[in-house]
Amino acid sequence: MQAATNVSPEEIARFGKLAARWWDPDGESRPLHDLNPVRASYVADRVNLRDARVADVGCGGGLLSEALAKAGAHVTGIDLGEKVIEIARLHMHESRLENPSLDIDYRVQSSAELAAAEPESFDAVCCMELIEHVPDPAALVGDLVRMVKPGGLVVMSTLNRTPAAFGAAILGAEYIMRMLPRGTHHYAQFLKPSELGRLMRHAGLEVDDVSGLGYNPLNRKAWLSRVTAVNYLISARKPA
Ligand code: SAH
């Protein structure tokens, strides 16, 4: 395995500390738990998941990977965090007691390695809440484009770079509600939808939707919205 370059080791260590509690809906991954059904159905609305090959890049403990696999997809979940991958595998084994057909291949692998090993192999590629943590966002988008099949779907989600996102994700979640450890997010690395859209188009994708991901941490409700000021989803296709 080549050493991965597009990664901050501090980021991997930070998420590694959260690994053991990843599947606790009241733990630090609580916002991801609450957002997960909405983003899973956003993907399911755009691609027929039954027997689709799907990559989940930066899969963490596997919240989205499992949701997609439950809908019938064959999922490859990659992350550079060994601890989070270990937890993802453990949880999959537990979930298989109820759902024996769950098919997820979790790997400690970089996006560049997966793209090189399996180019144009996936019907859909998901990359949620990762791009704001990598040193070179354009390189990550390039990897996603290489691994998706022509005609395939790429869905990403991330935090916008607005005062509202600063207020919600950093001040609110890290400082006031203390849901997330301080230092989880770096405002300067957040991307506006226009900037992420441009990166995707420059990499050869056709962006077909940007939707806001609304979230109320008090009642834990999440919904799709026209307001992209905090968190948003972006969907694109690789031309066939
Ligand atoms: N996509 C998941 C997890 C988001 S948390 C979800 O939305 O539910 C961010 C994840 O990205 C963590 O699991 C962390 O280990 C991983 N990560 C951070 N930098 C990375 C990099 N450069 N390459 C791959 N994974 C990375």
Side-chain angles (χ1 to χ4, degrees), residues 6-7 12 15 32 39 58-60 79-80 128-130 134:
N6 190 13
V7 58
I12 299 299
F15 288 104
L32 296 177
R39 57 194 197 172
C59 62
D79 199 291
L80 284 173
M128 310 286 190
E129 314 303 319
L130 167 61
V134 306

Side-chain angles (χ1 to χ4, degrees), residues 200-221:
M200 294 171 93
R201 281 191 299 273
H202 281 179
L205 295 171
E206 290 167 358
V207 175
D208 56 35
D209 182 71
V210 180
S211 292
L213 200 45
Y215 178 48
N216 178 345
L218 301 174
N219 65 12
R220 308 186 62 164
K221 287 210 159 53

Side-chain angles (χ1 to χ4, degrees), residues 127-202:
C127 182
M128 310 286 190
E129 314 303 319
L130 167 61
I131 198 162
E132 69 273 27
H133 300 287
V134 306
D136 184 349
L140 171 64
V141 173
D143 296 337
L144 306 182
V145 175
R146 274 192 294 285
M147 63 180 82
V148 73
K149 288 180 186 171
L153 178 78
V154 175
V155 177
M156 304 184 75
S157 76
T158 191
L159 288 159
N160 201 341
R161 197 175 64 263
T162 59
F166 181 82
I170 298 181
L171 277 184
E174 295 180 20
Y175 285 82
I176 299 170
M177 298 190 59
R178 311 239 168 115
M179 275 191 305
L180 297 174
R182 288 184 190 178
T184 300
H185 291 112
H186 308 285
Y187 184 67
Q189 281 178 259
F190 293 179
L191 290 168
K192 299 194 166 170
S194 57
E195 296 165 340
L196 182 52
R198 197 177 312 127
L199 287 182
M200 294 171 93
R201 281 191 299 273
H202 281 179

